[in-house]
Amino acid sequence: MKNQITIMFCLFALLTCCSASYAQNSSAALAELALEFNNVVGDKPLKLQDGSYSNEAGEKFSVTTFNYFVSNIKLHQKEGKEYVIPQDSSYFLIKENDPASRKINLKVPEGQYTAVTFTIGVDSLRSTMDISRRTGALDIAGGMLDGMYWTWNSGYLFMKFEGDSPQAELDRTGQRKFRYHIGGFGGYNKPSVNNIRTVTIDLSKKGAVKAKKNAISRVVLQTDASRVFNGKTKVSIAANSTVMFGDFSRLISENYTQMFSHISTKN
């Protein structure tokens, strides 16, 4: 008799768990949430080609390219619960020259969310998957994602930040450019540079998300490109005009985890 009661209890618990999981993942229970990325440089809007900025080293620069991947998004509730965006739908390439790319549309269960977590870049598992599993923002066909994929290194650039500066080293074309192409997922056959970084942003201070069906919640995040120079490590354009696959790239990837802040939520 005791065994029968135990079996019945386990079955009830399993059914309850499955029912709750189904309710959370049911498309009928999902609300719309938009993450919007507003790119700036310090206290100025980011303007490609035209903007003129200075870093903390006093170096003048303008920006010609600013792209970065956002992936593996999670929404957190105050109670400690979290909702993970299905991974196949959780890779986005933010490009300053493409306003539409700076808005990410998500489907989430109804509820209140007080924080968001995401990866800056592309995780190692997806980076090494068959090309057929790398679609949408990860599709390397055609224009190679606007130069966001290293064909020679079989890996994605997590961030591409380029511009002009009178302090930059004179290159072979006679131009003074800085180029920061940051990637590296830790290596496939042997250990290598790992610049996968994850950030969590508190939404509670300036408005938690109150996701509801038949409504669209908007979370506006600010991405400050100047933090690439002015983060934990102070980066000089004169000393480091070009940074790609090397040890110094780790310092830049640590800097750009500090780029993101929460501006507002509109429910």
Side-chain angles (χ1 to χ4, degrees):
M1 181 67 179
K2 185 180 290 186
N3 289 339
Q4 289 179 330
I5 294 174
T6 301
I7 292 172
M8 290 177 65
F9 177 79
C10 291
L11 287 172
F12 175 78
L14 179 62
L15 288 171
T16 301
C17 178
C18 291
S19 177
S21 176
Y22 175 80
Q24 186 183 57
N25 292 311
S26 170
S27 60
L30 297 182
E32 293 185 62
L33 170 63
L35 295 183
E36 299 181 12
F37 292 83
N38 180 27
N39 297 327
V40 300
V41 182
D43 58 358
K44 298 179 180 179
L46 174 54
K47 295 183 179 180
L48 297 180
Q49 315 292 343
D50 296 331
S52 179
Y53 313 101
S54 298
N55 61 20
E56 290 184 358
E59 298 168 321
K60 302 292 185 181
F61 66 94
S62 60
V63 181
T64 55
T65 302
F66 187 55
N67 302 338
Y68 51 93
F69 274 104
V70 168
S71 66
N72 294 278
I73 301 170
K74 300 178 184 178
L75 278 298
H76 304 268
Q77 296 181 323
K78 184 181 293 185
E79 301 81 13
K81 298 179 181 179
E82 65 180 30
Y83 178 72
V84 180
I85 302 298
Q87 196 178 46
D88 284 347
S89 304
S90 198
Y91 294 90
F92 304 90
L93 177 56
I94 312 298
K95 300 189 293 185
E96 174 58 28
N97 67 353
D98 181 3
S101 74
R102 303 199 299 269
K103 180 179 179 182
I104 293 175
N105 296 309
L106 306 172
K107 298 284 189 179
V108 302
E110 289 187 300
Q112 182 167 314
Y113 299 96
T114 56
V116 59
T117 295
F118 55 83
T119 295
I120 308 166
V122 181
D123 55 278
S124 58
L125 180 61
R126 187 65 57 156
S127 293
T128 56
M129 278 185 178
D130 187 87
I131 291 176
S132 63
R133 295 292 305 279
R134 290 185 269 148
T135 57
L138 300 180
D139 188 354
I140 65 174
M144 290 295 181
L145 307 173
D146 264 350
M148 293 296 289
Y149 190 78
W150 279 318
T151 54
W152 58 270
N153 196 38
S154 296
Y156 295 92
L157 278 68
F158 302 160
M159 184 199 71
K160 187 175 187 179
F161 185 31
E162 297 181 339
D164 301 293
S165 171
Q167 282 75 39
E169 184 180 353
L170 194 67
D171 65 21
R172 294 179 180 179
T173 66
Q175 301 179 86
R176 295 189 180 275
K177 291 184 171 292
F178 65 88
R179 300 175 178 87
Y180 300 146
H181 297 180
I182 311 301
F185 57 83
Y188 183 70
N189 295 317
K190 59 182 180 180
S192 68
V193 174
N194 187 349
N195 285 321
I196 296 172
R197 300 287 180 262
T198 298
V199 297
T200 297
I201 300 172
D202 181 10
L203 305 177
S204 60
K205 294 180 180 179
K206 295 188 177 181
V209 175
K210 298 176 182 177
K212 297 180 181 179
K213 286 188 295 183
N214 303 318
I216 301 176
S217 297
R218 294 175 55 233
V219 173
V220 181
L221 302 177
Q222 181 167 282
T223 308
D224 182 0
S226 73
R227 301 300 293 176
V228 174
F229 299 115
N230 307 330
K232 180 180 179 181
T233 299
K234 303 306 177 186
V235 176
S236 163
I237 296 173
N240 300 280
S241 296
T242 299
V243 180
M244 296 190 183
F245 201 74
D247 288 340
F248 196 81
S249 69
R250 291 191 180 97
L251 301 179
I252 290 184
S253 68
E254 290 170 0
N255 276 4
Y256 65 53
T257 62
Q258 302 172 27
M259 292 193 302
F260 303 93
S261 59
H262 179 215
I263 300 303
S264 64
T265 298
K266 298 179 181 179
N267 292 302

